[in-house]
Amino acid sequence: AYILAGDLQQQKNNFIVAQQYYQQALTIIKSRFNDNRGREKAKLLIQLGKLNLKLNKPALALDYLNRALYVLIPAGINHQNGSIDTKKLYGEYRLVETFYQKALAYLSLSNNLDALENLSLALSAGEKIRTEFADPKTKQRYQQEAKVIAEKAIEVSFEMWQQTGNKKYFESILFIAEQSKSRILLEEIQSNQQQLLLKNNDTLFIKKLRLQRAINYYEKQHLENAGKAGNSDELKFELA
């Protein structure tokens, strides 16, 4: 209830009231659920990050967004320097959103280098959504967001290229543009293939689809819980 109330207040631009609702929700998660409601906690921290960006407090926004990352990928963050292990990323829209909002915060602080790094991480996390068997709604949501992130990454890369003259930023522009085009084409091909196989009731494909979803679920749980979740090796063996 507090999360919904906070969202409604934020939509009305009542940011201070929204912040109070989010903080109350965090307090309840900590006191009643022993801080174990990871997904709800991550959402609250992301919302607080976005809210503080709107309040022109990018440094505070970064603090909330980094806390969200520690909830979402505790096993994927170097606790000494905060670097991200991209191998630990998984198909979760909230990861994409967190990295993108971090990029916006860094841009507000005129830190284009860290902004570009987080835009790249957002695209990498989004690629996991595209390649994994995530639910269709998540994929559709990311497809809309991917264009915005790619355009922002190209914009920042172009600015960095103009400022430094370093050709790696120009190459980054070309890479992002080509990757976006190929992603759209591949997504369309895969979607058509999947619809045809499902229409023909291909039992082997349906089994593969279910196994891959199960693997992604267990691996996601494993990463969210810093290695405490179950093992997916048996499912991978069956899929192979």
Side-chain angles (χ1 to χ4, degrees), residues 84 86 89-103 114-132 141-157 171-184 187:
I84 305 295
T86 55
L89 299 178
Y90 54 91
E92 168 61 62
Y93 180 77
R94 285 175 185 168
L95 272 176
V96 177
E97 187 176 24
T98 304
F99 287 128
Y100 181 61
Q101 293 300 321
K102 281 190 67 178
D114 284 335
L116 191 57
E117 180 184 354
N118 278 275
L119 287 167
S120 177
L121 287 167
L123 290 170
S124 295
E127 193 68 11
K128 293 285 186 177
I129 293 175
R130 189 187 68 77
T131 56
E132 293 176 0
R141 188 178 183 185
Y142 173 66
Q143 285 173 358
Q144 297 170 355
E145 191 75 14
K147 184 181 177 184
V148 175
I149 298 170
E151 287 175 351
K152 180 62 71 175
I154 289 172
E155 178 187 324
V156 176
S157 295
E171 291 169 353
S172 175
I173 294 170
L174 296 178
F175 175 77
I176 294 167
E178 287 302 315
Q179 188 182 50
S180 298
K181 290 178 184 178
S182 62
R183 183 188 298 116
I184 292 170
E187 188 70 38

Side-chain angles (χ1 to χ4, degrees), residues 186-204:
L186 183 60
E187 188 70 38
E188 186 175 338
I189 292 171
Q190 289 177 337
S191 178
N192 290 336
Q193 287 178 336
Q194 183 170 326
Q195 287 177 14
L196 181 62
L197 289 167
L198 289 172
K199 184 178 179 181
N200 293 334
N201 197 28
D202 188 312
T203 56
L204 184 60

Side-chain angles (χ1 to χ4, degrees), residues 10 22 43-55 57-58 60-65 101 105:
Q10 188 168 187
Y22 292 145
K43 179 181 178 179
L44 284 164
L45 292 169
I46 294 167
Q47 291 297 82
L48 283 164
K50 292 166 69 175
L51 187 150
N52 277 281
L53 268 178
K54 293 175 182 177
L55 291 171
K57 297 179 180 179
L60 186 55
L62 281 171
D63 180 62
Y64 281 117
L65 294 167
Q101 293 300 321

